[in-house]
Amino acid sequence: MSDNDNKNSGEHFEWKRFLLRKDRPLPKAGCGWAFYIGMLILIGYLIFMYVRYKNQ
């Protein structure tokens, strides 16, 4: 039985091979600048909401 037949049968799925494969869409070297900008906006929003509701 070939590897392709094993995938089509649905009997066994190799999670380790799926997680270690190299063609997944992840950045090659760290996170991009857009990720850090998004995190700063999120953290800023959380701080703003905390201060706003703490003063009520």
Side-chain angles (χ1 to χ4, degrees):
M1 182 189 293
S2 71
D3 190 40
N4 194 19
D5 292 337
N6 193 18
K7 287 181 182 177
N8 290 337
S9 67
E11 296 174 4
H12 180 69
F13 187 79
E14 296 181 16
W15 284 101
K16 183 177 180 182
R17 184 173 179 186
F18 176 74
L19 294 173
L20 293 177
R21 67 185 186 157
K22 301 296 181 191
D23 60 342
R24 61 186 184 273
L26 294 175
K28 289 183 168 62
C31 296
W33 55 268
F35 172 78
Y36 292 113
I37 291 173
M39 289 302 293
L40 285 174
I41 291 171
L42 179 64
I43 291 169
Y45 177 74
L46 290 174
I47 291 170
F48 171 74
M49 295 303 284
Y50 175 77
V51 170
R52 181 178 168 193
Y53 285 109
K54 184 180 177 187
N55 291 334
Q56 282 186 352

